[in-house]
Amino acid sequence: MAALVAAEAAAPPGPAEAAETAEAAELSRALSRLLPGLEADSKLSRRRALEALQRAIEAAWPEEPAAESAAAAAGFQGPWARLLLPRLLRCLADPAEGCRALAAHLLGLGLRRAARPRDALPRLLPALVARLAGPESERGRPPETCEELRLALVQLLGLAVRLGGAALAPHLDDAVRVLRCTLLDPFAAVRRESCQCAASLARATPDHFHMQSESLIGPLMQSISHQHWKVRVAVIEATGSVIQFGSGKSVDDVLPHFAQRLFDDVPQVRQAVTCVVGGWLLDLRDRYSFFHKLIPLLLSNLEDDIPEIALAAASLWEKVGLQWQRENEDDLKDKLDFASPPPAHHPSPDNRPGLGCRELVFRNLSKILPAICHDVTDWVAGTRVKAAQLLAVLLLHAEDHVTQHLEVVLRTLRRACADDDRAVVRSCIRSAELVGAFVSPEVFLKLVLPALKKSPSPSGLLILASIVRGCPREALRPHLTLVATELARPHICQGSENHLYGEHLLLCVRTLVSVCREDCRRCSLQLLEVLVTIEALWGATDLGDKVRETMDALAAAQDMDGRQDLYREHAGPLVEWLAASHHDWTVHSAELLQFVVVVNHAGPALGEVLPHLVPVLRSCLQPARDPQMRLRLFPSLSRVLLSAKQTVDSQGHFHHYLDTVTKDILVPNLQWHAGKTAAAIRTAAVSCLWALISSEVLSDEQIRKVQETLMPQILTSLEEDSQMTRLISCQIINTFLKTSGGVADADKLIKVYPELLKRLDDVSHEVRLAATSALVTWLACVRSDDDVKSCYQSHIQFLYRELLVYLDDPDSTVQDAVLEVLKAGSVLFPELLARETEAVIHKHRSPALCQQLLQHLQAQPPAQ
């Protein structure tokens, strides 16, 4: 046997081998003639020698079909390894940049054409280390100063990794040393190429790479925030491979940087993070240890603004869930065999996450939630938005399993809903709706209501409204009265004057009405109390219209025609509820504002609650009570008295309370007291009286009773500083006189006209005209029989004389009005009026009106 082997070894080469040997010998001779030129002192000579080598190699071994390339590579291997490789490696340190570039190119050319490129690794790697990772590179100055050459050398390293494969394992230290420097290269293209090389190296040496992988994480993470987005993408992809084939211990070092890249403005970067994290969840050897850290990164991209990224994340997440489900099929056997349907109120039952995805979230939720609770209040707005979005996604997967974490979730939502960023609030509202869909009201109300009672806040109300919106109507029905009663408590419904608080309180009521519909009948009173409070505290803002819309909706839910029917149903309990504390009201009392709302808006229902309403008004409008409170109440009283038939007298019973209104409310407030506030109160009281007698609900007899009670106060109010008070007083006196007609008491009637005469000197044009109108009515009250006229003659004569003075007033309108008064009074004593007119006609600036009056007197028939 040994002889046979020796014979074979000594056998002459075959034809093919002989040809290859001849070609190699020919190349060796050609190279031997060219290689001395590489040692020339002249840069130009060295460059020409390198160019000649390139031509020789390309001419001898052109790119050939695969069938012939193996033979050519075998012929090239000997001269390449023996002659070319050592000298080209020395040329990498040539002083001339062009020579170094040609040497790098020739090295790549040789590696691709050699039969065994791995044989070059022991010499190539140290040379690359010398050029790219020398001592200067640690100080930021690599030995190779040319950027393009550094790129070419890194590409050469990448080529060696691809061609050498597992043979690179003994040289892993050198390769990693080079990459640690080039990953931080100032030239962006070098960094990208280094990332690709690192990924290739990890895949080429999977059995040994884990020993060196951790040393690459630092440089990679320093480049992950590079200003060029392509570099960031390359770093992320390289990190995925480095950790995939390296040490899982580096995951913790990488995750914070990956989390920051979720906020990258460039979609491609976020897409790269999604793909890498999804790949780890599928293929990482130690993935079970990192599920709670990797899942949030992937799920965060389900809400990405770019649809393609969101779809990619959803696809990867579905694959992760299915793979985990297959790997844990024994543990999930019961759940797979007896799959439960989606919850009845699931927001999207057709797109319910798979069992594997749900189980993954549920089993890791306790580890993920603390980080989300922290991030949702982060000082960076983007972090808060992502955390809030992620919380909603987790709750959608956790379903009813969130119950055991409900206290933490609700506390987080209350804090997050106070955020100024609307995106955060929207996501928290969605999360709260999911809580309502998956958690029993009996459970969440035990946490929500006590927290709201302890510290009422807009965010707490918003969370309650959102949970109720997501809750099934059937589940909420037994707890509806409890929720409405708690909302109606003063501590909650009057918890703040903040507009946002009122808006969210109204949202709670609107949500209850929209979700529970006719079930609201059982708590209609409590909901109306809340709505009245909102109208009282925030009705002057844009919430007023929304409150009325909600009242209409509440009435419609109970088959009522509108909010007037709602008030009619509950007016009695409402007024009783408010009247309980009326002795302590001030202008700042919320109950006063609520009472004003009921009075202003209850309409016909007020006629049914007069026994409760009038005592409250009488008590609160006494002079001893807060003046500002009285000023707040009087306008409402005037409004309802002006439309009494549709309000306080809707049942026809208001006359029973007329004495109370006049004697106990109006008389005390018409009495004179010093101060502007007191004057304003008297004006308000006079307005109430005018509204009362103008409302057409009082008979003539009732008006005469009011006149007997209030005429002295009204005559006094003619002297008020307020023009409005004087004007309304003239109108009231005019109405009193019209009603009294011919039954007026002479002594009382005589006291009226002097006060009206004084108003002819009023600074207000309107008051003067109102006074003349009242004088016309007063003259009509004087009966024309002789016995009565004799009592008035001296007064009428005085009135004639005074009126004739005003007949010459500078204001023509007043002149005309006074002329009408004189014409109306001329029927009483025409001769007397004619004498008085003739006596002053020459004193007037224009006798025209006097002459007109005399002509009127002459045209009258003689007195009988």
Side-chain angles (χ1 to χ4, degrees), residues 171-480:
H171 313 286
L172 199 56
D173 287 349
D174 288 338
V176 169
R177 185 179 174 188
V178 169
L179 291 174
R180 281 176 53 85
C181 296
T182 56
L183 284 169
L184 300 176
D185 196 275
F187 189 26
V190 174
R191 294 201 189 199
R192 289 204 308 272
E193 190 65 34
S194 299
C195 290
Q196 296 173 8
C197 185
S200 300
L201 183 63
R203 289 189 291 268
T205 57
D207 297 333
H208 304 84
F209 187 73
H210 65 278
M211 295 184 290
Q212 295 288 340
S213 64
E214 292 182 41
S215 60
L216 291 178
I217 296 300
L220 284 169
M221 293 304 100
Q222 291 182 58
S223 297
I224 201 170
S225 57
H226 194 274
Q227 60 183 352
H228 291 185
W229 69 265
K230 291 184 178 180
V231 174
R232 300 198 295 274
V233 169
V235 168
I236 292 169
E237 294 173 346
T239 303
S241 298
V242 167
I243 289 182
Q244 178 71 48
F245 298 99
S247 171
K249 292 187 291 184
S250 302
V251 172
D252 290 332
D253 301 325
V254 168
L255 289 182
H257 298 278
F258 271 38
Q260 288 299 316
R261 290 307 102 205
L262 293 178
F263 303 99
D264 203 290
D265 295 332
V266 179
Q268 289 88 336
V269 177
R270 303 197 300 273
Q271 176 85 20
V273 174
T274 302
C275 295
V276 169
V277 172
W280 286 347
L281 284 169
L282 289 169
D283 302 320
L284 192 66
R285 286 190 293 269
D286 299 332
R287 59 184 179 276
Y288 276 61
S289 303
F290 300 107
F291 270 152
H292 65 285
K293 298 179 180 180
L294 296 175
I295 288 174
L297 293 181
L298 184 59
L299 294 186
S300 294
N301 278 336
L302 291 177
E303 300 292 328
D304 197 274
D305 297 334
I306 305 299
E308 290 78 5
I309 298 177
L311 288 174
S315 176
L316 284 168
W317 176 236
E318 184 178 1
K319 292 177 182 178
V320 171
L322 290 174
Q323 176 177 296
W324 187 88
Q325 184 175 315
R326 289 193 300 270
E327 293 171 351
N328 297 271
E329 193 168 352
D330 293 341
D331 293 345
L332 302 177
K333 182 174 177 55
D334 291 342
K335 294 182 179 181
L336 289 171
D337 294 342
F338 307 100
S340 60
H345 213 55
H346 196 285
S348 53
D350 296 335
N351 297 319
R352 187 188 188 194
L355 176 61
C357 296
R358 299 199 308 273
E359 283 291 321
L360 268 175
V361 169
F362 162 57
R363 298 189 181 199
N364 291 278
L365 190 59
S366 60
K367 300 176 183 177
I368 299 174
L369 269 181
I372 294 180
C373 297
H374 176 269
D375 287 349
V376 86
T377 56
D378 194 85
W379 68 275
V380 179
T383 304
R384 299 197 303 273
V385 172
K386 280 288 186 183
Q389 291 175 342
L390 178 58
L391 180 58
V393 173
L394 291 174
L395 295 182
L396 182 64
H397 284 76
E399 295 185 352
D400 58 341
H401 294 297
V402 74
T403 303
Q404 58 187 288
H405 307 287
L406 190 58
E407 185 174 1
V408 175
V409 170
L410 290 177
R411 184 169 61 246
T412 301
L413 291 177
R414 280 195 299 273
R415 295 170 63 189
C417 278
D419 202 288
D420 295 332
D421 195 313
R422 293 302 303 167
V424 175
V425 177
R426 282 195 300 270
S427 296
C428 290
I429 290 174
R430 181 183 168 201
S431 296
E433 291 172 353
L434 292 172
V435 170
F438 298 136
V439 180
S440 167
E442 186 176 359
V443 176
F444 68 67
L445 288 177
K446 289 181 180 179
L447 296 173
V448 174
L449 294 181
L452 192 59
K453 208 183 314 183
K454 180 180 178 181
S455 178
S457 64
S459 60
L461 291 171
L462 180 59
I463 291 302
L464 176 60
S466 303
I467 292 177
V468 169
R469 188 185 301 114
C471 188
R473 175 185 174 187
E474 298 74 16
L476 190 60
R477 185 182 293 125
H479 310 278
L480 181 58

Side-chain angles (χ1 to χ4, degrees), residues 35 38-39 83-95 100 103 107 123 127 131:
L35 287 176
L38 299 180
E39 307 297 334
L83 300 174
L84 271 179
L85 180 62
R87 289 168 174 79
L88 289 176
L89 291 176
R90 284 200 298 271
C91 288
L92 290 179
D94 194 284
R100 298 199 302 275
L107 284 169
R123 297 180 181 179
R131 296 307 301 166

